[in-house]
Amino acid sequence: MDRPVQCSNIVTDATSTTAVVLAAMEKTADPRLKGILNAVVRHAHAFLNEVKLTDDEFERGLDFIRRVGLTCTDSHNEMVLLADVLGLSTLVKVLNNAAHEERTGGALLGPFYRAGSPRYEQGHAIVQGTTLGPPLFVSGHVLDTNRQPIRNARVEVWQASPVGLYENQDPQQPEMNLRGHFFTDAQGAVKFRSVRPAGYPVPTQGPVGDLLRLQKRHPYRPAHLHFVVVAQGYATLISQIFADDAEYLDSDVVFGVTRDLVGEFERHEAGTGPHPQTQEPYYTLECVFVLGEGVSTYPTPPIK
Ligand code: BEZ
Ligand code: FE
């Protein structure tokens, strides 16, 4: 076949590939989607031009993504975990918060957020059954950017146990243990009782674990509590508070720690401090959540 092909829409060499693919996507109707997909193609092609993957490396990369997908179940989200250990989730959060320094910083949602947590009254414990560990009394305030209280804000919390497991990972824990939501009072205040969470390794039995081992990285997160704060007329805050004395604070495997999210876990001896009725050493944590105006949304739970 020596007839010249009269078509500008076919690939002739590496340089023409990107333009041909972008032209094929030209009719994408939604302008935002079009911009995003064009950028994905431009950056992915630039990556391939730079790295020059061999055929074998390309196939191994595709197989890795295939295994990440296959590892996902209703109760485990390997895809979120991959985004987290590559710093993608944190970068999205940081970019979306950069223009709003007066607000509390966001942190990644993580793969363990579940919908349907119990609603509790002020001061109630989020512990169900017996979960042994140092008691923790949390006192929070939800404020607007003028530092005025936001009442009736929905404050959702979830955390790992004192042995570092979320209830859905641990058959010893009752359903929805260490998960709950509260509504702020007229002062924007919320109070609850819990037990100190421990740091924990992210799940490493799947392909993301293989990746961490290849990179000689540890899999640990410093001890923290997760929060989602939703109030009508305000942008939803997805955040975490880290224990100031936690191990791995400066090497969180998912890069979630920022200075403003480190909370003071103050230790008190039994019979002393703000909860003198407590018969063992305990901790208190005070946190302030500053919300900016915006549209409130609920995050999509990555697991059931
Ligand atoms: C978490 O904090 O729940 C989490 C975040 C990223 C990866 C694994 C766990
Ligand atoms: Fe967590």
Side-chain angles (χ1 to χ4, degrees):
M1 282 234 298
D2 48 7
R3 195 155 41 94
V5 181
Q6 297 298 315
C7 178
S8 59
N9 258 6
I10 60 170
V11 170
T12 50
D13 55 14
T15 319
S16 65
T17 311
T18 309
V20 169
V21 176
L22 291 176
M25 307 192 317
E26 190 49 37
K27 292 201 193 101
T28 308
D30 180 329
R32 175 71 178 155
L33 178 64
K34 184 175 178 180
I36 292 170
L37 292 175
N38 281 15
V40 167
V41 167
R42 283 189 285 101
H43 288 274
H45 286 216
F47 158 76
L48 291 174
N49 278 314
E50 177 189 323
V51 176
K52 301 207 167 36
L53 293 181
T54 64
D55 290 348
D56 180 54
E57 287 166 339
F58 184 52
E59 279 166 26
R60 282 167 58 190
L62 293 181
D63 190 58
F64 177 79
I65 304 288
R66 185 186 69 84
R67 287 188 291 123
V68 168
L70 286 178
T71 310
C72 294
T73 65
D74 281 353
S75 58
H76 174 78
N77 196 320
E78 190 83 357
M79 196 64 218
V80 171
L81 190 57
L82 178 61
D84 294 344
V85 304
L86 293 178
L88 305 183
S89 310
T90 290
L91 180 56
V92 169
K93 276 278 160 249
V94 171
L95 287 170
N96 287 335
N97 278 288
H100 308 286
E101 275 172 10
E102 73 284 8
R103 303 178 185 180
T104 300
L108 47 88
L109 183 70
F112 294 124
Y113 171 64
R114 293 180 69 192
S117 73
R119 175 181 175 172
Y120 291 118
E121 296 305 320
Q122 289 279 356
H124 207 280
I126 60 169
V127 183
Q128 303 208 17
T130 42
T131 302
L132 298 175
L136 171 67
F137 294 87
V138 180
S139 158
H141 279 90
V142 181
L143 306 177
D144 66 19
T145 51
N146 296 315
R147 299 263 154 182
Q148 296 305 304
I150 301 178
R151 68 181 304 169
N152 213 27
R154 186 183 190 279
V155 178
E156 170 128 32
V157 58
W158 69 104
Q159 62 164 88
S161 70
V163 299
L165 289 170
Y166 287 87
E167 52 76 44
N168 55 301
Q169 299 177 294
D170 181 4
Q172 310 291 327
Q173 292 183 51
E175 170 80 355
M176 292 289 171
N177 191 34
L178 304 178
R179 297 177 185 269
H181 66 271
F182 299 80
F183 286 88
T184 54
D185 64 16
Q187 284 72 48
V190 66
K191 285 185 176 27
F192 64 91
R193 192 161 58 77
S194 187
V195 282
R196 247 197 94 129
Y200 57 85
V202 300
T204 54
Q205 72 280 9
V208 173
D210 295 340
L211 180 71
L212 292 175
R213 282 182 286 275
L214 284 169
Q215 296 178 321
K216 301 208 182 304
R217 290 168 62 187
H218 75 68
Y220 289 94
R221 298 217 65 207
H224 59 275
L225 289 94
H226 293 261
F227 292 93
V228 175
V229 185
V230 183
Q232 212 175 2
Y234 297 89
T236 293
L237 173 68
I238 300 174
S239 198
Q240 300 179 23
I241 304 288
F242 296 88
D244 51 351
D245 57 355
E247 212 181 341
Y248 307 112
L249 210 49
D250 58 358
S251 64
D252 179 6
V253 65
V254 297
F255 313 101
V257 183
T258 53
R259 267 179 222 294
D260 58 322
L261 299 184
V262 178
E264 193 184 337
F265 279 56
E266 195 180 341
R267 188 185 143 98
H268 307 270
E269 293 307 325
T272 71
H275 302 278
Q277 74 286 3
T278 313
Q279 288 170 5
E280 56 189 312
Y282 65 95
Y283 291 84
T284 52
L285 168 68
E286 294 197 4
C287 27
V288 175
F289 304 108
V290 180
L291 269 54
E293 285 178 14
V295 180
S296 67
T297 54
Y298 285 89
T300 305
I303 56 170
K304 288 212 172 122

